[in-house]
Amino acid sequence: MSTRKLVVGVSALSALALLATGCSSGSGSSASDKKTITIWTGMDQPIIDGLKAKLAPEAKAKGITVQWRRVDNINQLLVQKVQAGDAPDIALLPQPGIIKDLAGKGKITPLDDVLDLASLKTSMTAGTLDVAKVNGKTYGLMVSMNVKGLVFYPKKAFEKAGYTVPTSLDELNTLTAKIKADGNTPWCLGIESGTATGWPATDWLENLVMKYGGVDKYNEWVSHKVKFDSPLVRKAAAEFEKIAFTNGNVLGGRKAIASNAFGTAGNAMFKSTPGCYMYQQGSFITGFFPKTVQKNLDSEVGVFGLPAAIAGGENPVEGGGDTASIYQDSPAARTVMKLLAATDLGTTAAGNGSSFISPHKDFPLSAYPLKTTQSVAKVAYDSTGFVFDGSDAMPTAVGTGTFWKDMTAWISGEESLDTALKNIDASWPAS
């Protein structure tokens, strides 16, 4: 999950205030002699501070001042600014679908002749350079990423029991059975999140669809070329059902899943006798672990990515990120975009205690101060492809509507899988 999943809007008053104070990129200079470049982003402030510290002196050496602005609800406000002809020079968006939409309307500058895409393809995590492509052209550059489909475990107890990291989904099932045979509970699972209840369940299904179907089939599913009521999605649902619904597999049983808060569901792992041994979530979840665990993360927490469907086979990863695009073209904006593409851009951000993860697979792992973060980054860097969170990319009526609702109803036993899949398909907006 990214926190954007939980933010469903902003008050009109807040929006008006931001619009009133928003800085126009047209600072009185022509595009050819512009010396100040404005960057909008919704990223967390510690990440902005780290990127700013690295970028500012490099831009200054080229005679450019960069003004960063953290903007809440950036998707909505940027679209408004673009429509008003008053967009910032560069903005980093968490939703590639919006970038593609604006690019299709001619509102964003293609980066094909701005960046060295051949070198970046070698440098960046597989697939991340393609997240904002339209008609073969590249309109965005991922600057910061997060990783999903991670399995966290209580390191000391896990290793003491002799458990090993699985390399395939079959091995994951074997590990689940082994933990249960030892008299322990394999999994913690919780999908309660207030008005957003159900999103952790969609992450489970998305990851399994991706593992079984690969990047291409996953993207076809996200665009509804592959239906929910399809063999691929049913195969993914059957694997989730095997893990989550089998007696003894989940702490509290199936009946507890829908009422367990996602933020605290995994904390039972860290009791003196672990209440469970595995918890699947995104990279952000460590911030919800008990404070005593957070203080000793590397010694207390282990992590691996949900494994490939077949050992040694394709093993893509799901995640999210913030993608930079040029909204007001100028030589200075192009120069700054090139600086944003540097592999070492995030070295300060990574080391200042932020949640920053670089999308560059040649980013030095040693720049991450925690071994846990290094392990998370390595899951992405070793992957065979990258896909964006599916429910974020689907139409709102589905992604944050029926997909959340009907997954919850299925898990809680209120409706069958058949009904859930058919309901979600039926809710897809007509094209």
Side-chain angles (χ1 to χ4, degrees):
M1 171 201 111
S2 82
T3 53
R4 288 123 185 155
K5 260 189 173 177
L6 304 181
V7 178
V8 295
V10 68
S11 70
L13 183 60
S14 297
L16 287 170
L18 281 166
L19 285 169
T21 59
C23 114
S24 167
S25 60
S27 56
S29 301
S30 68
S32 61
D33 64 1
K34 179 177 282 190
K35 297 301 181 185
T36 299
I37 294 298
T38 301
I39 299 179
W40 277 19
T41 178
M43 293 187 296
D44 294 337
Q45 195 62 48
I47 296 179
I48 297 172
D49 292 343
L51 297 178
K52 184 177 180 180
K54 183 72 175 178
L55 185 69
E58 297 179 5
K60 186 176 181 181
K62 298 180 180 296
I64 300 169
T65 298
V66 178
Q67 295 180 343
W68 290 78
R69 174 164 298 199
R70 187 181 184 282
V71 179
D72 290 326
N73 202 29
I74 188 170
N75 294 334
Q76 175 184 327
L77 293 180
L78 181 68
V79 169
Q80 292 174 353
K81 282 290 191 178
V82 168
Q83 291 172 342
D86 191 26
D89 299 288
I90 294 172
L92 287 82
L93 288 190
Q95 301 284 12
I98 295 176
I99 297 173
K100 291 178 180 179
D101 182 57
L102 292 173
K105 296 175 180 176
K107 302 296 186 181
I108 301 178
T109 302
L111 302 177
D112 302 74
D113 61 350
V114 176
L115 304 176
D116 184 350
L117 296 181
S119 295
L120 285 172
K121 190 170 184 178
T122 301
S123 167
M124 297 185 73
T125 298
T128 53
L129 200 56
D130 300 325
V131 299
K133 274 196 170 181
V134 178
N135 297 326
K137 291 187 176 182
T138 301
Y139 287 90
L141 171 76
M142 188 180 288
V143 172
S144 175
M145 74 185 302
N146 57 70
V147 186
K148 308 183 102 176
L150 298 168
V151 180
F152 295 88
Y153 58 89
K155 195 171 188 177
K156 294 172 183 175
F158 192 92
E159 293 176 352
K160 183 179 180 180
Y163 303 140
T164 55
V165 171
T167 61
S168 69
L169 289 176
D170 281 345
E171 288 185 13
L172 180 65
N173 292 330
T174 299
L175 173 60
T176 299
K178 169 64 175 167
I179 294 173
K180 188 164 65 171
D182 288 345
N184 300 313
T185 301
W187 291 94
C188 277
L189 217 165
I191 65 168
E192 192 279 325
S193 184
T195 57
T197 292
W199 70 256
T202 69
D203 279 5
W204 260 107
L205 192 66
E206 288 159 9
N207 272 278
L208 292 169
V209 167
M210 175 190 67
K211 298 293 182 180
Y212 284 125
V215 170
D216 290 343
K217 286 298 180 184
Y218 175 91
N219 287 331
E220 288 179 13
W221 171 58
V222 169
S223 65
H224 211 217
K225 292 176 183 175
V226 171
K227 307 297 184 189
F228 273 80
D229 190 4
S230 66
L232 172 58
V233 178
R234 285 182 174 274
K235 186 175 184 179
E239 174 63 13
F240 175 76
E241 183 173 351
K242 185 187 301 181
I243 288 172
F245 297 176
T246 302
N247 287 338
N249 275 7
V250 173
L251 183 64
R254 177 182 179 180
K255 67 180 183 299
I257 295 173
S259 59
N260 283 344
F262 82 92
T264 55
N267 290 356
M269 292 189 293
F270 306 111
K271 293 182 177 180
S272 54
T273 299
C276 61
Y277 278 75
M278 294 182 287
Y279 185 50
Q280 186 277 134
Q281 253 302 341
S283 52
F284 76 96
I285 198 63
T286 56
F288 286 78
F289 288 162
K291 296 299 182 185
T292 53
V293 173
Q294 292 184 45
K295 289 177 181 177
N296 301 284
L297 208 61
D298 285 347
S299 62
E300 297 290 339
V301 178
V303 60
F304 61 87
L306 279 170
I310 300 172
E314 287 191 15
N315 194 20
V317 68
E318 183 188 34
D322 292 270
T323 300
S325 302
I326 296 176
Y327 293 85
Q328 296 281 5
D329 194 11
S330 69
R334 292 177 174 232
T335 296
V336 171
M337 185 61 72
K338 290 174 183 175
L339 296 176
L340 289 172
T343 294
D344 65 353
L345 171 72
T347 50
T348 302
N352 69 357
S354 75
S355 59
F356 176 83
I357 296 176
S358 172
H360 292 265
K361 62 186 178 184
D362 55 352
F363 186 82
L365 286 176
S366 59
Y368 300 113
L370 294 176
K371 296 289 185 184
T372 307
T373 310
Q374 294 178 18
S375 297
V376 168
K378 202 162 172 10
V379 168
Y381 300 160
D382 291 344
S383 68
T384 59
F386 179 90
V387 301
F388 251 79
D389 181 283
S391 58
D392 277 351
M394 292 173 183
T396 303
V398 179
T400 58
T402 53
F403 196 6
W404 288 359
K405 173 179 172 291
D406 285 275
M407 284 292 289
T408 301
W410 171 51
I411 289 169
S412 61
E414 295 174 7
E415 64 187 36
S416 67
L417 177 64
D418 287 348
T419 299
L421 298 180
K422 286 178 169 58
N423 283 350
I424 300 170
D425 277 332
S427 72
W428 203 278
S431 56

